[in-house]
Amino acid sequence: MQRPKILVAGDSSVLIEFGNEIRPETNRRIAATVQLIREQQIEGIVDMIPTYCALLINYDPRVILYDPLVKRLQSLLKIEVSAGEEKKRIYEIPVCYGGKYGPDMDIIAKHAGLTEEEVIRIHSSRDYLIYMLGFLPGFTYLGGLDERIHTPRLQTPRVRIEAGSVGIGGSQTGIYPLDSPGGWNLMGKTPVKTYDPDREVPILVEAGEYIRFVPVTEQEYLRIEEEVRNGTYQVTIHEEEA
Amino acid sequence: MGIRVLKPGMLTTVQDLGRTGYQSQGFSVAGVMDVRSFKIANLLVDNPENEPVLEFTLIGPTLEFTSDTIIAITGGDFNPTINGEPAPMYTAIYMHKGDILKFGSAVTGSRGYISFSSYLKVPTVMGSRCTNMKSSIGGFKGRKLQADDYIMFRIKRRYLPFFLSRTLKPDEMDQEQVTLRVVMGPQDHMFTKQGIQTFLNSAYTVTNEFDRMGCRLDGPFIASKSGSDIISDGICFGSVQVPSHGKPIILLADRQTTGGYAKIATVASVDIPKLVQRKTDNKVRFKAITVYEAQKLLLDEMAEFDEMRKTIHRPCREVLECRLTAKRIRSLFE
């Protein structure tokens, strides 16, 4: 992997470039760096935006100036994050596929030349790396959708897609964190709130973590929905060796 | 105990310095556009640095005060009046219950600010009281103000010492042309030498696509070496994106957290207020400075704020005269 480069981004930000290709290793390295910087609690850093291949750091120059910050970051970037110790953190997202929860399931199946069952099996059979969050609060940019179920976006986007809808847009899949317009093909819905402004931690997941979609029946969906409403639902999280 | 909105103006929102710490999750920072005017407004009434204010755009609001408080108005000049009489700007003003504060449209600048010594009562959401309109959170019900909205005050604070000294010289807002100092990068290497020369040596016009998210400029084409698409990365306040159409877009308070266009430069923090106070068809130019110079400017501005604080905390003549009188009287009692 190329050596990270620290670039100037104005008087209150620096951009660390880790590469110029979308690769899971690059993304893992960025997630590890974010973690490391958080642990170091460098005074003056106010926010971080990890993306596919870069990390933007916002800082307050009244607290730390450019040179001392860059020096600290350079020494942090020398620390090798050993891959063996890393754990994959996987969030299980229950999804009720098809029917009224996934009105475009037939479009996806037809486009793929597969049955709906096969589409569900393919979609729920792998863990998706969260490369980054952006666009909307908690909107996940997931990597690794099986090519067989890539489906072009709808020609006419919907004016309103309900929060929790799971869809496919081209080569990407994801969950709508809040009601919003959108052009993705809707294949199902989760009762889990990936974004809840009133929760202590409003956004459920972080870049560098994984999502696993687990098919559930409508009955289970309604039960989980009830539990979410009562605040008793716990999302299942797996920790696995990377 | 607060203010009632009689007319909301074009776009009036509750803002502070923004909601930081959540950008990695896709939340825009939001917050005030003109940080300088915001800080001066709070400073004039001895508010904490990050106390929320009302920010209004192009056409100001009309507000009724339902209790006494002290306010300060900064930013562009919107012809403010109190009960029909002209109101001073950059000055602490005592507002009485029943007073009507009215703004017209922007004569100079394009954004105005009102600070309140009694603090606006809006909830803190994820560490900030600012309005994020896209996510409908923070501020007053997560949206811009409407007629009949009623914002309460959090405390009673109707006394400030050195009251008559609390006035500052208003900032100049209506220059013919402003020069925005920029720090080049992070992706200036994607533009040709000619492209960078064009960027730094041309006047650009503010188009009507200018809102809290960003400001699109029109002017000479900035040539890139081989397109300006990048793998999406983080954006900061004042990032100057140049998409393939070759015209700069400067990203502002409500910017998205990430974007996929090369950023030729970043506007120096101290010069962002000059940009956000421009109007459609106004001109801007760019001048490159180093990150060290930009940070020096920011620290100098902090020192300038300290000076302002001293100015408004100077005992005023009236108070001095009182003391003189007291001193003279004292001898009678000794």
Side-chain angles (χ1 to χ4, degrees):
Chain A
M1 202 178 295
Q2 79 173 63
R3 271 187 54 157
K5 259 193 302 198
I6 301 178
L7 303 172
V8 181
D11 53 39
S12 306
S13 307
V14 289
L15 183 73
I16 312 180
E17 254 188 19
F18 289 81
N20 43 27
E21 266 178 86
I22 300 176
R23 290 163 59 179
E25 306 87 84
T26 311
N27 210 247
R28 268 205 294 277
R29 175 100 202 259
I30 294 170
T33 307
V34 168
Q35 200 51 43
L36 198 61
I37 292 173
R38 272 196 202 142
E39 282 162 16
Q40 294 284 318
Q41 299 189 336
I42 301 177
E43 222 179 314
I45 291 185
V46 291
D47 215 344
M48 289 189 273
I49 311 178
T51 49
Y52 285 110
C53 318
L55 172 62
L56 185 80
I57 297 177
N58 297 150
Y59 64 100
D60 184 346
R62 291 176 300 173
V63 182
I64 189 165
L65 287 169
Y66 176 75
D67 277 340
L69 177 73
V70 167
K71 229 174 174 176
R72 290 228 31 202
L73 292 174
Q74 270 164 346
S75 66
L76 280 184
L77 289 168
K78 279 184 197 138
I79 300 171
E80 279 300 316
V81 192
S82 62
E85 287 169 31
E86 275 177 59
K87 287 246 169 78
K88 270 167 84 170
R89 209 171 145 80
I90 305 158
Y91 288 78
E92 267 195 15
I93 302 293
V95 180
C96 185
Y97 285 100
K100 68 172 177 183
Y101 298 101
D104 303 324
M105 192 52 136
D106 55 326
I107 299 177
I108 299 167
K110 209 177 281 168
H111 186 263
L114 298 165
T115 64
E116 291 191 9
E117 288 70 31
E118 285 169 317
V119 171
I120 295 172
R121 193 180 47 73
I122 292 170
H123 189 255
S124 59
S125 67
R126 58 173 68 176
D127 301 333
Y128 298 94
L129 171 63
I130 302 165
Y131 275 102
M132 58 188 257
L133 287 94
F135 169 55
L136 288 172
F139 190 87
T140 50
Y141 287 85
L142 302 176
L145 181 67
D146 193 306
E147 273 183 36
R148 284 174 291 173
I149 53 173
H150 287 189
T151 317
R153 285 158 201 251
L154 297 176
Q155 279 190 341
T156 317
R158 283 189 173 84
V159 179
R160 183 170 168 272
I161 291 175
E162 279 180 41
S165 296
V166 175
I168 292 179
S171 62
Q172 299 191 86
T173 185
I175 311 159
Y176 279 88
L178 62 161
D179 295 352
S180 79
W184 287 18
N185 302 277
L186 305 183
M187 64 189 322
K189 206 175 160 201
T190 178
V192 172
K193 282 187 176 171
T194 52
Y195 165 57
D196 180 355
D198 300 324
R199 192 164 52 199
E200 195 185 342
V201 184
I203 307 285
L204 190 65
V205 295
E206 266 186 49
E209 297 176 329
Y210 290 79
I211 280 181
R212 178 182 295 169
F213 295 108
V214 179
V216 296
T217 62
E218 183 169 10
Q219 216 174 0
E220 285 173 289
Y221 177 95
L222 294 171
R223 182 181 54 76
I224 297 170
E225 194 178 39
E226 181 68 30
E227 284 182 19
V228 169
R229 204 176 301 126
N230 299 335
T232 53
Y233 185 76
Q234 284 288 335
V235 179
T236 311
I237 302 167
H238 300 278
E239 295 239 346
E240 287 178 10
E241 296 297 325
Chain B
M1 273 289 296
I3 47 164
R4 189 186 309 282
V5 179
L6 302 182
K7 279 188 195 160
M10 201 170 101
L11 170 62
T12 305
T13 53
V14 176
Q15 295 294 349
D16 61 15
L17 289 173
R19 192 169 280 104
T20 49
Y22 298 91
Q23 288 186 87
S24 61
Q25 303 173 342
F27 284 96
S28 300
V29 172
V32 287
M33 293 277 274
D34 176 350
V35 174
R36 181 181 166 89
S37 298
F38 164 78
K39 286 193 172 165
I40 296 173
N42 272 331
L43 188 150
L44 279 163
V45 295
D46 283 359
N47 277 357
E49 189 193 62
N50 199 17
E51 188 53 38
V53 301
L54 288 185
E55 176 185 280
F56 44 95
T57 314
L58 293 173
I59 301 167
T62 303
L63 308 169
E64 181 193 345
F65 286 72
T66 63
S67 64
D68 290 17
T69 189
I70 301 164
I71 64 163
I73 304 164
T74 62
D77 182 358
F78 286 64
N79 274 335
T81 58
I82 296 168
N83 305 327
E85 296 293 319
M89 292 188 56
Y90 287 78
T91 300
I93 310 169
Y94 193 95
M95 298 298 289
H96 296 87
K97 183 179 175 180
D99 281 351
I100 308 279
L101 173 63
K102 188 177 169 188
F103 294 92
S105 25
V107 183
T108 68
S110 61
R111 280 156 231 280
Y113 295 86
I114 318 169
S115 61
F116 302 85
S117 70
S118 303
Y119 307 158
L120 296 175
K121 189 172 183 179
V122 293
T124 303
V125 181
M126 295 155 62
S128 163
R129 289 191 159 92
C130 79
T131 315
N132 180 330
M133 288 185 286
K134 195 167 112 194
S135 308
S136 307
I137 56 164
F140 185 81
K141 299 184 177 173
R143 59 163 171 78
K144 65 177 188 177
L145 297 186
Q146 299 170 356
D148 289 333
D149 282 347
Y150 186 55
I151 308 181
M152 305 272 279
F153 293 141
R154 299 211 299 285
I155 58 164
K156 267 188 197 174
R157 188 154 154 265
R158 299 160 181 177
Y159 169 77
L160 292 173
F162 318 118
F163 193 76
L164 297 172
S165 298
R166 291 177 182 268
T167 185
L168 295 166
K169 191 176 161 286
D171 283 331
E172 187 76 42
M173 297 269 166
D174 56 351
Q175 296 96 330
E176 184 61 28
Q177 192 171 82
V178 306
T179 299
L180 304 173
R181 287 162 289 191
V182 296
V183 179
M184 297 306 287
Q187 282 107 18
D188 50 328
H189 56 271
M190 291 186 63
F191 298 88
T192 63
K193 229 178 206 163
Q194 185 59 52
I196 289 177
Q197 287 309 315
T198 307
F199 171 66
L200 293 173
N201 294 313
S202 313
Y204 285 87
T205 311
V206 175
T207 68
N208 58 9
E209 288 175 83
F210 176 20
D211 58 17
R212 286 186 39 91
M213 260 183 88
C215 175
R216 279 174 188 265
L217 299 174
D218 198 7
F221 178 86
I222 299 164
S224 65
K225 285 178 188 159
S226 53
S228 59
D229 287 0
I230 56 164
I231 297 171
S232 288
D233 67 9
I235 292 174
C236 48
F237 199 5
S239 287
V240 186
Q241 275 185 343
V242 182
S244 42
H245 59 53
K247 312 280 167 78
I249 301 173
I250 304 178
L251 294 147
L252 301 167
D254 283 352
R255 65 199 176 275
Q256 295 199 6
T257 52
T258 59
Y261 298 116
K263 293 167 283 291
I264 192 169
T266 315
V267 180
S269 299
V270 293
D271 281 354
I272 294 175
K274 292 189 202 161
L275 169 68
V276 303
Q277 291 291 359
R278 301 263 79 186
K279 291 192 185 84
T280 302
D281 294 334
N282 283 170
K283 301 266 192 276
V284 293
R285 282 179 171 275
F286 298 99
K287 178 176 181 264
I289 58 171
T290 65
V291 62
Y292 306 105
E293 288 169 304
Q295 295 192 331
K296 170 83 170 41
L297 289 168
L298 197 56
L299 298 181
D300 288 349
E301 193 183 51
M302 295 310 301
E304 191 192 344
F305 290 146
D306 286 341
E307 274 309 307
M308 289 182 188
R309 222 167 268 126
K310 273 185 206 153
T311 308
I312 64 163
H313 286 164
R314 197 172 293 147
C316 48
R317 239 194 129 147
E318 289 77 357
V319 175
L320 278 178
E321 280 169 2
C322 279
R323 281 186 190 156
L324 265 172
T325 317
K327 208 172 171 184
R328 282 176 198 144
I329 296 172
R330 201 174 66 185
S331 60
L332 297 175
F333 294 95
E334 276 169 357

